[in-house]
Amino acid sequence: MTLRKQFLAGVSLAITLGVAGQAHAGSFFERINTYPVYKTLGEGVDPATQTSAEIISATKDGNTLVFSDSPAEAVVFVDVSDATAPAPKGRVALDGEPTSVSVGASFAYAGVNTSADYVNPTGHLAVIALSDMGIIAKCDVKGQPDSVATSPDGKFVVIAIENERDEDLNDGVIPQMPAGHLAIFDLDENGAPTNCDNVRIVDMTGFAEVAPSDPEPEFVSINSRNQAVVTLQENNHLAIVDLATGEVTANFSAGKVTVENIPVKKDRMSDASGSIVDVPREPDAVAWLDDERFVTANEGDYKGGSRGFTIWNVTGDVLFDSGAQMEHLGMETGHYPAKRASKKGTEPEGVAVGTFGGETYIFVNSERGNFVAVYKDTGAEPEYVQILPTHVGPEGSIALPSRNLFVVANEVDEDGVRAQVSLYEFGAEEASYPMVVSAKDAETGAPIGWGALSGLAADPEDANKLFAVTDSFYDKSKILTLDISSKPAQITSAVILQGTDTPKYDLEGIAVAKAGGFWVASEGNLEKERNHLLLKVAADGTVEEEITLPEDLVAQSKRHSFEGVAEFERDGQTLVAVAVQREWKDDPKGMVKLAIYNPSDKSWGFVHYPLDAPTSAAGGWVGLSEIVSLGGEDFLILERDNQGGEFATIKQITKVSLSGVTPVAYNSELPVVTKTKVKDILPELEASHGWVLDKPEGLTVTAAGEVILVTDNDGVDDAPGATELFNLGPVSDLK
């Protein structure tokens, strides 16, 4: 076995052990709360106001979180003395954009960007008293600040002055003056700057191979010896600075990396068919492991980004590089951002270090994959522990060992997604997440890429085998086979649908056909020349038949169409039921169609299903996501609103019967089925203590009569990215 294959095998084994809780009992992290930033807005402020949580710090007792909110030009204080019930403590308005914040014993120190343009960068350090959240000083930093760090002994505050480049100028190529530098403030015994009017400047020019005249310091971290490690991201360089003297004691290139068997195509496939060769690491965040070693998250910005993290010593030796591991973690757990494959992939950006239970842990944020990879420091190659799901855009993070907490700031706040602060507690006996992982692909040795699970079906013979489909987020449609006998469930294989001239399918439902193969529902979108299709698919993925609706009915269709599909028997005939998600033009308000297809004469009939009216404070709509045959003419229906978080109100399973109901042609008055609510699934969706996922999409009943539910993660595209799989218990309990 090659070294690379040994490494890949080790990654997969580590994930399996970690999530199953077979080792290190009591040493896992569990999410206990997700707190929306909009709840910190003042009284009378519109909750829809854009907010953000970017760089995060905490008071020494760990009871108050402090983070930057760039859109609001404020620093936010949150009381987490009860970590399960965070409460707003206050906001401090700043005269500019906060770029970072770090908290000392008596003060919070915020870097504030006041630059009018790229050519004339300006900014200051705002010194905020913890006692009353008043600003006691504004110290000129001689440029545009980025990262801020406070020394452990409280003697220094250091700011990376990036003076960032204009990406629209000369295609963003550096050098672009003025050069950045490091700014040092000396603190008195109370924590106030003694040189507020005369900041100490550390010149960083002349070191890097890339644009040595234009250093752009990005991130800074300080060890117990008062040595600062500084990343010069765009310059692909690192420097060590002695804070007492202001001297650069060491500097070295961050080097280049070749990473194999990862997604690199613009195609949304989440496959491992590519590689990146000699790519500059371009590290972003950095954190000390001890006084001799530090770890960088190699996000990339200018020309590189190695999609992983690296452990270094102070002389610049690479002690460990993660290679493809972060990419493969994303692929294996459904968190791979396939839309970003041709750019920087999972984009590791943030890194934090903390000691819990006597062991040192490394936390690496994937900004685009919406996860944190947790490792245990061994002094050599770190040991993978678990993956933590976050909200959208995890930016800053902080370990709070005194509180047994790890905290992540999630910055994205747009298109219905709200910025959040996520809190995780150390000490769980096992990892509850992920709930689904994938096996390795035989060709590449990398995990089978997956995500956006939009429909489920059960093998009628094997109680542990399920089938799932992926939707149109991906360029090629897949049918996945799942083994649910293990924890987490495992995707064991995948087949790609091989269709005719249809440019793209949007698979939303799947059912096992008694005659062999599958029935698959593909949601149409006429604006994208995608038909509403019922597909007959062979076991190997070959599309044997594309079944369309009557043309006159297609003219009445809207964007939200075919969702779930189920095969059933009626009067000795095999029929197929398809659930339409929302009302079409010819439907009365609150009524959606269940379409019934008869393969023997290729006819369609229809009935109406009555939707619940939306009850969310945020409005939105209610529709169907799945239909499951219970045998005979009885069905389970998955009905949901399109809201997430605390705005989610309707996530339910209902039961209907077609017994005594005769489907009719679409241009007739459709009979209405009677529904009975049999299960509220909101408690299951709330159990992870995250932002309630808005898309429970797949439902099925196993051969053993167990009800299984899965959520759709939207391919981690402006969505949290978590996939949750639940066993809801015996179907006989749904009454």
Side-chain angles (χ1 to χ4, degrees), residues 462 464-466 481-492:
D462 187 341
N464 291 319
K465 182 185 288 189
L466 303 181
T481 301
L482 285 77
D483 178 1
I484 61 171
S485 65
S486 61
K487 182 182 179 181
Q490 187 176 63
I491 294 170
T492 58

Side-chain angles (χ1 to χ4, degrees), residues 123-337:
H124 63 264
L125 179 73
V127 183
I128 306 166
L130 299 180
S131 57
D132 61 3
M133 291 182 287
I135 297 176
I136 68 155
K138 295 180 181 180
C139 307
D140 187 2
V141 298
K142 309 300 183 185
Q144 173 253 314
D146 199 332
S147 171
V148 178
T150 310
S151 64
D153 62 6
K155 292 183 178 180
F156 304 100
V157 168
V158 179
I159 307 99
I161 307 303
E162 183 177 10
N163 291 346
E164 63 184 356
R165 74 188 192 276
D166 182 351
E167 296 184 22
D168 294 325
L169 177 64
N170 194 26
D171 293 328
V173 175
I174 55 176
Q176 292 183 20
M177 297 298 132
H181 57 264
L182 197 68
I184 303 174
F185 289 100
D186 306 302
L187 306 179
D188 64 21
E189 59 183 11
N190 296 315
T194 61
N195 60 330
C196 186
D197 296 325
N198 190 25
V199 62
R200 290 197 284 136
I201 302 297
V202 179
D203 181 12
M204 311 293 285
T205 62
F207 297 135
E209 296 175 7
V210 178
S213 64
D214 182 24
E216 295 194 11
E218 186 80 22
F219 213 95
V220 61
S221 180
I222 306 172
N223 66 13
S224 67
R225 295 175 180 169
N226 284 333
Q227 294 173 308
V229 56
V230 185
T231 61
L232 283 67
Q233 185 174 22
E234 288 82 358
N235 310 90
N236 195 41
H237 211 76
L238 294 151
I240 309 293
V241 178
D242 179 79
L243 298 183
T245 65
E247 293 181 3
V248 177
T249 58
N251 73 91
F252 38 85
S253 170
K256 298 180 179 181
V257 179
T258 293
V259 183
E260 298 178 333
N261 296 116
I262 61 173
V264 297
K265 298 177 182 177
K266 287 187 177 181
D267 299 341
R268 296 187 194 177
M269 278 301 297
S270 188
D271 65 1
S273 60
S275 61
I276 52 177
V277 179
D278 289 336
V279 171
R281 287 189 174 93
E282 293 187 350
D284 186 348
V286 61
W288 289 94
L289 276 168
D290 51 40
D291 286 339
E292 299 290 338
R293 299 174 302 141
F294 57 87
V295 57
T296 59
N298 306 323
E299 176 204 19
D301 189 7
Y302 181 44
K303 292 185 176 179
S306 62
R307 310 189 184 199
F309 66 97
T310 305
I311 298 176
W312 312 77
N313 64 19
V314 292
T315 60
D317 297 320
V318 173
L319 306 179
F320 170 78
D321 191 277
S322 64
Q325 189 167 355
M326 290 287 287
E327 295 284 279
H328 289 180
L329 283 174
M331 294 174 66
E332 183 165 8
T333 57
H335 277 265
Y336 193 81

Side-chain angles (χ1 to χ4, degrees), residues 355-706:
T355 301
F356 296 85
E359 301 282 357
T360 299
Y361 289 83
I362 303 168
F363 306 87
V364 185
N365 296 3
S366 166
E367 181 184 16
R368 298 292 180 169
N370 299 340
F371 67 86
V372 174
V374 184
Y375 299 82
K376 183 183 293 184
D377 177 35
T378 66
E381 180 176 330
E383 175 189 340
Y384 174 81
V385 177
Q386 68 183 122
I387 183 174
L388 299 174
T390 69
H391 202 56
V392 184
E395 181 81 8
S397 61
I398 185 171
L400 302 174
S402 66
R403 295 289 315 281
N404 254 8
L405 296 176
F406 171 67
V407 184
V408 178
N410 307 278
E411 68 174 334
V412 173
D413 193 298
E414 57 187 21
D415 298 328
V417 171
R418 302 311 308 265
Q420 312 274 340
V421 174
S422 302
L423 296 93
Y424 308 81
E425 187 173 45
F426 176 75
E429 293 295 320
E430 63 177 10
S432 62
Y433 192 86
M435 298 178 178
V436 182
V437 297
S438 63
K440 291 184 293 184
D441 178 81
E443 276 188 40
T444 64
I448 298 168
W450 63 278
L453 303 186
S454 53
L456 276 186
D459 187 295
E461 305 295 333
D462 187 341
N464 291 319
K465 182 185 288 189
L466 303 181
F467 302 98
V469 288
T470 60
D471 67 23
S472 63
F473 176 80
Y474 299 102
D475 286 338
K476 293 185 179 179
S477 302
K478 291 181 180 179
I479 296 178
L480 308 172
T481 301
L482 285 77
D483 178 1
I484 61 171
S485 65
S486 61
K487 182 182 179 181
Q490 187 176 63
I491 294 170
T492 58
S493 63
V495 296
I496 295 175
L497 260 65
Q498 306 296 322
T500 57
D501 295 331
T502 301
K504 191 175 182 180
Y505 295 122
D506 184 6
L507 307 188
E508 295 288 350
I510 182 171
V512 176
K514 289 183 179 180
F518 306 96
W519 294 104
V520 179
S522 179
E523 186 173 32
N525 187 336
L526 300 187
E527 292 182 0
K528 296 184 178 180
E529 298 182 348
R530 188 184 303 144
N531 291 324
H532 314 295
L533 296 172
L534 173 63
L535 307 174
K536 184 64 176 68
V537 181
D540 65 358
T542 301
V543 176
E544 299 175 328
E545 188 176 6
E546 292 183 346
I547 302 160
T548 60
L549 290 167
E551 289 185 9
D552 290 349
L553 178 56
V554 171
Q556 300 295 319
S557 68
K558 290 186 176 181
R559 165 68 184 87
H560 296 85
S561 64
F562 284 179
E563 285 286 320
V565 60
E567 185 183 79
F568 68 105
E569 299 290 321
R570 182 172 190 168
D571 297 332
Q573 286 189 312
T574 297
L575 304 176
V576 182
V578 183
V580 176
Q581 186 167 61
R582 294 181 63 191
E583 302 100 321
W584 284 2
K585 298 173 187 176
D586 61 329
D587 291 317
K589 184 175 177 59
M591 291 287 178
V592 292
K593 295 181 180 72
L594 300 180
I596 313 301
Y597 179 70
N598 187 335
S600 64
D601 63 7
K602 302 186 183 302
S603 65
W604 286 96
F606 303 90
V607 300
H608 266 143
Y609 174 99
L611 294 170
D612 279 14
T615 57
S616 172
W621 51 261
V622 176
L624 306 185
S625 282
E626 184 71 282
I627 183 168
V628 182
S629 173
L630 294 176
E633 298 177 64
D634 294 338
F635 302 87
L636 295 180
I637 303 281
L638 185 54
E639 184 178 357
R640 65 171 180 87
D641 60 23
N642 67 330
Q643 300 299 308
E646 62 187 17
F647 302 110
T649 58
I650 299 175
K651 313 289 183 187
Q652 63 188 21
I653 300 171
T654 67
K655 188 175 181 180
V656 303
S657 179
L658 288 178
S659 178
V661 180
T662 302
V664 299
Y666 78 93
N667 54 359
S668 307
E669 183 176 349
L670 306 188
V672 180
V673 297
T674 300
K675 75 175 184 182
T676 303
K677 179 179 175 179
V678 294
K679 175 72 174 178
D680 179 3
I681 58 176
L682 266 176
E684 280 75 17
L685 296 173
E686 293 169 342
S688 69
H689 301 289
W691 185 252
V692 171
L693 301 176
D694 66 308
K695 285 189 175 181
E697 287 278 294
L699 188 73
T700 194
V701 178
T702 71
E706 300 290 310

